[in-house]
Every structure is written in C-alpha cells, then in structure tokens.
Amino acid sequence: MDILIKNGRVIDPVNKIDRVTGVLISEDRIVKIGNLSEVKTSGEKPKIIDAKNKVVIPGIIDIHTHLREPGHEEEETIATGTRSAAVGGVTSIFCMPNTHPVIDNQTAVEFILLKAKNEGIVNVFPVGAITKGLSGEDLTEIGELKKAGVVSISDDGNPVMDALVMRRALEYAKMFDLSVIAHCEDKNLSEDGVMNESYTSTLLGLRGIPNESEDVMVARDIILSALTGGHLHIAHVSTKGSVELIRQAKRNKIPVSCEACPHHFTLTDEMVKTYDTNTKVNPPLRTEEDVREIIKGLQDGTIDCIASDHAPHTEEEKNKEYDLAPFGIVGLETLLPLTITYLVKTKKLSLMAAITKLTSNPKKIFKLDSGTLTPGSKADITIIDINVERVIKDFVSKSKNSPFLGKKLQGFAVMTIVNGKIIMDNGKILSD
Amino acid sequence: MRLKNKDLLGLEYLSKEEIELILKTAVPFKELFTRSIKKVPTLRGKTVVLLFYEPSTRTRISFELAAKRLSADTVNISASGSSVEKGESLIDTGKTLEAMKADFVVIRHSMSGASHVLARNINPSVINAGDGSHEHPTQGLLDIFTINEKKGTVKGLKVVIIGDIAHSRVARSNIWGLTKLGAEVVVCGPSTLIPRDIEKTGAKVCYNLDFALKNADVVNVLRIQLERQKTKRLPSLREYNLLFGMTKEKLKLAKPDVIIMHPGPMNRGIEITSNVADGAQSVIDEQVTNGIAVRMAVLYLLAGGKSSPES
C-alpha cells in the first residue's frame, strides 16, 4: 500500500531540504517529496500519516552496534536488537563482528544476513573482521567477505596492535573499496585499565586508561592511511587529542572519517564515583575538556557521524565489582534523544547538522542505499517529535545496562518506516 | 552526635566532625585494655561477620577482638574454604549473610569499590577493611589516633607517607583523614608509583626522600607490595631500597621527635630497616593496639551509639 506523510517538517541533508512538505512512498521506494495534491497514486487510496509538528527524516543509520548473535543471545539477538533499533528510530544498523564465533568468514556473514531477513525488522549491515578470530595476526578473506555482504571491516573491541597488519589491511581493503573501521587503543598503554586515567581514577583506586592510549593509535592509523591511501574510519572517538589529530588529517586530505558516541559528548568520568558499572565502557568516559572538544569536533565537521556503540550486557554480568564487569552500554534507544537533548536543544548543533551525522554522512562514507529521501531510493524513514519529553525507564533491548536510566530526555522517534513498511508507531512494534 | 551513614566505606565520605567523633569515642575503649576484664556488654546480641577475600593477619584479628570486646558474636569467612571457591558472587555471599541476620559485614577485598557493591546490595552495616587500591578507613583512623595520642594534635603537623602510593589504600585513607584535620601531607615515592593528579587531594608530592623528610613530624612507611611489581614500575627492589628505604641515617633528617609508623606487614630490609622499625621512635606496635580501640569505636557508633559510651 502507498503511504503519504503530510504536513511534516521534512529534512533531507542530501538534497538540502528543510521545509514543511509531504513524502509519498510506494511499495518499498520513495516516490516524491513535495506538494502532493497533483500526484497520482497507484489506484487505491494511500494511507495518510499526519506529521504535523513532527520532523520527517531519512531513517537513522547507526554504524556501530553489537547484536551479540551468535554467541551471546542472553544479552541480545538480531530479533531483539533490531526491535530496539526500531523503537529508537533507527532503520539501519551495522553489527560488529566480535561475536562467538567471530564474523570472519563468508558463512558467518551469510548467517547474520539470513537471521536478519527472517527475524530482524530493520536493515542489518554486517561488518566483517579485519583479522581471523580478531587475533590481530592474519587478514581475513576480505574479498570473500565483501562478496558475502559486509559493508566494512573492523576488529572492533580490539585494536590491530601490529602496525604492519594494519598497513596490509588498509592496502588490501582499498582494492575492494572498503573502509577499515579502527578501534584505536594501545593495549600496552591501557594496561588492563577499567576507567579513564584521571584524578577520579586516582581517588577510586581503579586502574586508568590514559587518553594517550587512544591518541597514539589514532596518530598511527592516520599515518598508515596516508601511506596506503586506504580509507580509515575511526570508531568511538573519546579524547581531545584524537579530535585534534583527525582535524589535522582531514586538513591534509588524508582519507579519514570518524564517529562519536552520545555518552562521550554527554558524560564525564566523575560518574564512575559510585562504582556504578553502567558507567564502564570502552573507550571510557573522559573529562569535561574532552567532552568540549568532541562537541567542537561535531560542530566543525571533524566528527562525521554519531553512533551508539550499543553494547548489551545482562544484569548478572554488570552487577558486580567494577573490575569484573564487562565494558559496554546499550544505546540504540537513546541515540536520537541524547543527540536532540544535548546537541540540538542546547543549540550546539542545528537539527540539519545532527540529522546529517545520523543519516547522510554514514550513507556517504559507507556508500549505502539508505540515508536520503531522494525519489527512487529505499523508503527508510523516521518521524520524530523533537519536543516530547520522557524519563528513560526501560528498554526494548534485552539488556538494560545504561547510565541514562532515570534521566529525562527530549526528542524521540514516533514512527519508523523500513522498506516502505511501518514497523514502529508510537513506541509499539507493529510487525509482531 | 552520630555517624550519618550505615556503612563505613572510606574517609573521603566522612566529615571532619565524624572523624573527630570516632577518635574521641576510641579513647575510653583504649582505657579498657588496661583493665583485667577487657570487655563491655555494649554490642551483646549483635553479629559481626568478617568477610575476607584477601589474606590478612592484623586487620582481621583486630576487628575480631574489637567485636568480642564489645560482646558481639563474630564469624569468620575467608575466600578459601567457602562458597566463594565455588564461584559464588560477592552479592550472593552478602545476601546470604543478610539472610542469616548479620548486623555488620566487615569486608576485605582485592578490588576497589567492592565494599560499595556490597553496601548497595545488603542492609547490614558494611565496614570496608580495605578494598583494592581504594581505601582502608579504619587503618587511616588508627594512624590518626596514634598521631593524636603522641603529638596531642594533627593540625599543622608534617606527615610524610613513603612508598607505593598508586596501589595504596592506606595512603588514600590517610590523605583524606589527615588533610581534613589540617595536617600537611607529603607523599614520597618513585614517580611510577605516584598516581595522576594526587596533588588535587591537597597532598604534596616529592620524589626525593631527603627533601621530603625535612621537618617531618610523622613518617608513615608503606609496604612495598611485592605482588604488584610485575607491572615493571620499578627496575629493582635494590634500587628502591637505595632511593626510598627508611634507615637510621635518613631518620636524622626529620625532626628529633619524629615518630615512625608502618601499617604492616613489613618487608624488613626493603622499605624499612629493623633498627628503625624497632627503634625508640617507632610507634608500630602502638598502632596495632590502637587499631582495636578505633574499630570498637566504629562498631559502636555504626550500631547507633552516641559519643562517649561511658556516659
């Protein structure tokens, strides 16, 4: 059935549109943006959605999530993770390969895509591993992975510690026009740290991860990107130093892009003071100075994308000694409201700029079909109410590990459309 | 006056007045030790569980004696020989003790923040008897009590803490307590064992022992934690001893009436020589005695007692 979204404020960064108008969807495609009175629909009357006082944007693309399947289905599955995405207004997600077994071969990629087709409700784009078993040693069959359907490669969770391996990865991936997503961390400098190294870690007696553990790897990988010409995408930038290095690299026309996560532009390591393990994340929550620079990087375009790094963990895993709890926080359902509340409502970023980092920049960097409302493209659309306020109480995700529980946020998705089908309406999943 | 919280997790969380209350309350308890019957019925019917995940001699026995001298019942649990060996979590162990109606759980754990995790999850009063590199509040209190007793006050004194500050819970509790009471605290040790931004606590940092000892009223020598030296922060214990070892000669650099403290257990010949540890200026044995009195005061006050138990 055709769908006509009327009266909404339509924002499409790719076409530089920001005005109140309509969007017509037919089957799984966007047909037209504009005054729709003259448009002929395919015979039967389209379903009308009144988006008055709402914002209609291309479906959000979250380029950094962990779906935990296969291997840790008690934390999340493709079914539950994609439902969490739908509620968050996210229509496409990248899933990282650090599953058990690792997504380092064609069969594993096919498993993800098959599961996503049968049980998922949003678009799932697998990211393949850079090295076999994420060991940092031998390259995966990157050509085969690409053929099977990966959108990028990454050893996320682990850095590629050996510079030569990283060089070869960038060189080899370039042949297939694939970006390499780098988790930049010098494990030796991190020295089993569990939080940011700072005055707070000194007081708490917790082992610290210095900013420099990230900075030196960002610098190394930028240098290797310059050497090879291979496209480097730096995941979850958390430090002032990283932002400065990436800014410089872009000025020097080195093929680099990057993302920041909401928790890194909203929270600081002071939150760790109660030893609440929902604050334990890697890279760790940093300081006020880092938060300021990340926001500056988002403003001046150094940081291209906003991604959640959705990392579900069960209550059983998290409710223990800080040293023993795993790293990670869930983020699919707070990605949009944190962006609106902390960046748009505070006037640090225009709504257009924020939507750009959630849709068209991911599209551009990873050469995706989704991420625009251009007629003819896939009908992935998110409708948001940027004024509605809500206290975060629970998640659709199987896991609840979030430092934002109990926080009042503003700006939520009210409808999610994937491939021309409404899958979420006012917080309710419709496909079930 | 009473203590604000049900738990004692660190001196960071106590006010100056609360620290003074504990110190004052400990005085009559110490006097008790000179009597032939060293026991009062104050906590009769209360149960104190000693939950020790790390080896300990003095802290465990000190807490046990403190509880017994208050007529409380005590139970000892150590990691080996308990369900901890079967993989039981800290919270489950805590819940079990709660179900058995323990009034106090005294916990020693190798991980920072473990006492917070326990306190958050159970109702009995939790007393931190040392958590990782975080705090060891009763050690800090007994150190301050000892200084007070010897010097009459803490305010205005120069206290030098020597050793592995990075991994030391004793150092952190001492810094909190001493700075709150107005002492000048200097930490001295190898630069690789001084944690980031420690100056922000109000403590001064010095890498030269001779310089640090100048005008010192109190020298608190920490144990060099041999088990932590895997991480290559020190080239050798030999060099540590040459640079930071407390010797009779070094002691001459401090004030003539300086007192020497050590939380124990000592590595004699590494961080301290025997003639200093056992010398006239050493108050190491008194620290041990005072530990019991301070822990009695803590148990008494956490049980809801007001200052001065005699009245």
Side-chain angles (χ1 to χ4, degrees):
Chain A
M1 188 173 57
D2 294 354
I3 299 174
L4 174 58
I5 305 167
K6 309 198 305 188
N7 302 328
R9 176 180 168 194
V10 176
I11 297 184
D12 181 27
V14 169
N15 296 299
K16 299 195 172 58
I17 291 171
D18 182 357
R19 64 170 195 272
V20 175
T21 182
V23 179
L24 181 69
I25 301 165
S26 183
E27 301 291 323
D28 64 341
R29 296 281 145 180
I30 291 168
V31 178
K32 188 177 166 65
I33 306 178
N35 189 347
L36 298 151
S37 51
E38 80 273 26
V39 176
K40 283 230 170 63
T41 51
S42 56
E44 64 178 311
K45 266 195 154 184
K47 178 181 169 71
I48 306 281
I49 292 161
D50 188 1
K52 195 158 187 263
N53 299 324
K54 309 280 193 304
V55 182
V56 182
I57 64 169
I60 294 169
I61 303 167
D62 187 345
I63 58 173
H64 198 142
T65 77
H66 299 267
L67 295 181
R68 302 298 189 215
E69 190 175 356
H72 281 287
E73 291 82 356
E74 76 285 5
E75 297 172 334
E76 196 79 283
T77 62
I78 289 168
T80 59
T82 55
R83 278 161 182 76
S84 176
V87 167
V90 177
T91 60
S92 298
I93 52 184
F94 286 21
C95 59
M96 287 296 167
N98 58 341
T99 48
H100 301 275
V102 172
I103 313 301
D104 61 1
N105 62 78
Q106 208 175 351
T107 314
V109 176
E110 283 165 3
F111 169 82
I112 299 285
L113 290 172
L114 185 68
K115 272 270 183 178
K117 188 169 163 239
N118 292 338
E119 295 167 23
I121 63 169
V122 304
N123 306 305
V124 174
F125 296 117
V127 175
I130 299 172
T131 62
K132 288 179 188 142
L134 305 175
S135 63
E137 287 163 15
D138 303 314
L139 292 184
T140 55
E141 295 173 334
I142 297 169
E144 291 289 294
L145 289 176
K146 161 104 182 198
K147 219 161 66 188
V150 304
V151 284
S152 182
I153 52 168
S154 178
D155 272 3
D156 185 63
N158 294 319
V160 177
M161 279 298 290
D162 185 326
L164 180 59
V165 175
M166 190 62 174
R167 174 198 174 155
R168 298 296 181 223
L170 283 160
E171 266 170 356
Y172 196 78
K174 192 181 158 190
M175 182 162 70
F176 307 105
D177 203 17
L178 278 179
S179 294
V180 177
I181 300 178
H183 169 118
C184 290
E185 177 186 5
D186 185 314
K187 281 281 182 194
N188 296 319
L189 268 177
S190 294
E191 210 194 348
D192 299 323
V194 296
M195 69 168 292
N196 183 43
E197 181 182 303
S198 63
Y199 179 51
T200 310
S201 68
T202 290
L203 294 189
L204 295 175
L206 290 172
R207 290 185 304 277
I209 302 171
N211 278 22
E212 290 70 13
S213 141
E214 178 173 317
D215 300 350
V216 296
M217 277 305 232
V218 167
R220 184 202 77 175
D221 286 351
I222 286 171
I223 290 164
L224 293 176
S225 170
L227 168 69
T228 59
H231 183 264
L232 171 72
H233 178 84
I234 297 166
H236 43 54
V237 168
S238 77
T239 69
K240 182 176 186 218
S242 296
V243 177
E244 285 166 348
L245 286 162
I246 296 162
R247 185 178 292 130
Q248 182 68 31
K250 286 188 165 185
R251 217 173 277 149
N252 294 339
K253 307 273 181 259
I254 297 168
V256 178
S257 61
C258 71
E259 79 208 15
C261 306
H263 45 272
H264 289 128
F265 60 73
T266 56
L267 305 177
T268 68
D269 64 358
E270 301 239 332
M271 276 209 76
V272 184
K273 277 199 163 165
T274 56
Y275 296 95
D276 176 358
T277 54
N278 281 340
T279 64
K280 185 170 174 182
V281 61
N282 191 17
L285 303 178
R286 303 285 187 182
T287 64
E288 201 63 59
E289 199 186 5
D290 297 300
V291 169
R292 264 202 305 276
E293 190 65 26
I294 286 180
I295 291 172
K296 207 173 130 197
L298 286 162
Q299 288 169 328
D300 70 12
T302 302
I303 299 173
D304 306 274
C305 307
I306 300 172
S308 71
D309 195 4
H310 180 78
H313 288 292
T314 61
E315 161 93 22
E316 292 84 352
E317 291 174 285
K318 274 288 194 180
N319 194 13
K320 34 170 89 152
E321 295 88 324
Y322 207 85
D323 283 348
L324 296 180
F327 291 104
I329 63 186
V330 289
L332 275 165
E333 292 161 66
T334 46
L335 173 67
L336 176 66
L338 287 168
T339 301
I340 301 285
T341 309
Y342 286 86
L343 298 177
V344 178
K345 288 290 173 186
T346 55
K347 303 219 183 323
K348 292 191 169 110
L349 223 51
S350 68
L351 187 57
M352 174 65 94
I355 302 307
T356 302
K357 292 178 199 299
L358 290 167
T359 63
S360 56
N361 279 356
K363 170 192 175 62
K364 208 166 65 195
I365 294 165
F366 296 99
K367 304 172 186 77
L368 307 173
D369 230 6
S370 324
T372 177
L373 300 176
T374 306
S377 46
K378 264 176 62 176
D380 292 344
I381 295 176
T382 302
I383 304 178
I384 59 187
D385 182 338
I386 62 165
N387 295 317
V388 66
E389 288 187 329
R390 205 176 294 157
V391 176
I392 303 297
K393 285 198 194 118
D394 197 9
F395 297 109
V396 170
S397 165
K398 233 178 176 175
S399 293
K400 323 291 174 193
N401 50 304
S402 167
F404 298 105
L405 281 169
K407 282 236 160 69
K408 190 196 253 184
L409 301 178
Q410 200 177 9
F412 288 82
V414 293
M415 184 173 281
T416 309
I417 299 171
V418 174
N419 291 323
K421 269 176 60 191
I422 301 171
I423 57 159
M424 187 280 281
D425 186 3
N426 250 318
K428 280 190 69 170
I429 302 290
L430 296 186
S431 67
D432 294 337
Chain B
M1 187 183 166
R2 292 163 190 263
L3 296 180
K4 277 202 305 282
N5 294 313
K6 75 167 174 84
D7 310 302
L8 176 62
L9 305 182
L11 295 193
E12 180 185 358
Y13 319 111
L14 292 187
S15 67
K16 178 176 176 249
E17 290 71 28
E18 286 177 300
I19 293 172
E20 285 169 343
L21 172 67
I22 296 169
L23 298 174
K24 198 175 101 194
T25 308
V27 173
F29 283 129
K30 190 178 176 186
E31 281 161 15
L32 196 66
F33 303 166
T34 59
R35 301 186 196 164
S36 61
I37 294 171
K38 302 180 184 60
K39 202 165 180 172
V40 289
T42 319
L43 292 189
R44 195 163 52 202
K46 301 274 184 197
T47 307
V48 178
V49 176
L50 306 167
L51 178 58
F52 277 62
Y53 285 84
E54 265 189 339
S56 160
T57 313
R58 74 208 70 224
T59 304
R60 191 177 57 73
I61 294 175
S62 181
F63 265 111
E64 185 163 0
L65 286 175
K68 287 193 161 142
R69 287 179 187 175
L70 290 166
S71 302
D73 298 311
T74 61
V75 182
N76 270 289
I77 306 170
S78 56
S80 59
S82 71
S83 288
V84 174
E85 278 194 330
K86 299 178 188 165
E88 187 173 63
S89 76
L90 170 60
I91 293 170
D92 283 345
T93 304
K95 294 258 186 218
T96 304
L97 301 176
E98 182 179 49
M100 291 175 175
K101 308 298 175 200
D103 298 289
F104 295 90
V105 179
V106 178
I107 177 177
R108 159 68 60 94
H109 200 288
S110 63
M111 289 171 197
S112 303
S115 59
H116 281 73
V117 174
L118 190 63
R120 237 199 322 265
N121 284 280
I122 65 170
N123 285 320
S125 282
V126 173
I127 301 175
N128 181 6
D131 62 330
S133 307
H134 175 228
E135 280 221 48
H136 190 350
T138 56
Q139 179 72 42
L141 289 166
L142 77 89
D143 289 345
I144 295 167
F145 183 90
T146 306
I147 296 169
N148 234 343
E149 202 176 47
K150 292 287 159 190
K151 301 284 181 189
T153 180
V154 169
K155 202 173 174 187
L157 296 185
K158 178 174 176 182
V159 181
V160 184
I161 304 173
I162 303 166
D164 177 356
I165 310 299
H167 296 113
S168 176
R169 49 198 176 211
V170 176
R172 284 173 182 75
S173 288
N174 263 280
I175 290 170
W176 284 118
L178 289 167
T179 52
K180 280 179 189 181
L181 297 183
E184 178 196 354
V185 181
V186 177
V187 294
C188 180
S191 44
T192 46
L193 292 173
I194 302 286
R196 188 169 187 143
D197 291 340
I198 189 80
E199 308 86 358
K200 288 192 188 168
T201 58
K204 295 187 181 115
V205 176
C206 186
Y207 303 115
N208 180 312
L209 183 60
D210 291 6
F211 191 74
L213 288 173
K214 236 174 246 168
N215 287 318
D217 297 286
V218 179
V219 174
N220 198 343
V221 182
L222 301 177
R223 188 171 73 88
I224 193 78
Q225 306 189 44
L226 296 162
E227 68 274 17
R228 309 249 194 202
Q229 299 314 322
K230 281 177 291 199
T231 53
K232 300 176 191 131
R233 294 188 186 217
L234 286 179
S236 69
L237 288 176
R238 180 179 169 273
E239 183 158 280
Y240 180 82
N241 172 254
L242 290 173
L243 293 171
F244 298 99
M246 200 59 209
T247 62
K248 201 130 200 192
E249 291 68 47
K250 296 273 183 196
L251 199 55
K252 287 181 189 144
L253 299 167
K255 280 192 183 164
D257 62 345
V258 67
I259 56 169
I260 286 281
M261 305 172 73
H262 193 298
M266 289 185 272
N267 300 299
R268 288 172 184 261
I270 297 175
E271 72 258 4
I272 192 164
T273 56
S274 282
N275 56 13
V276 174
D278 306 330
Q281 281 154 302
S282 167
V283 296
I284 296 169
D285 289 340
E286 282 164 81
Q287 283 176 272
V288 175
T289 309
N290 293 340
I292 302 171
V294 164
R295 289 175 178 121
M296 287 173 81
V298 167
L299 287 167
Y300 168 77
L301 290 167
L302 287 178
K306 290 185 208 164
S307 56
S308 189
E310 304 281 278
S311 58

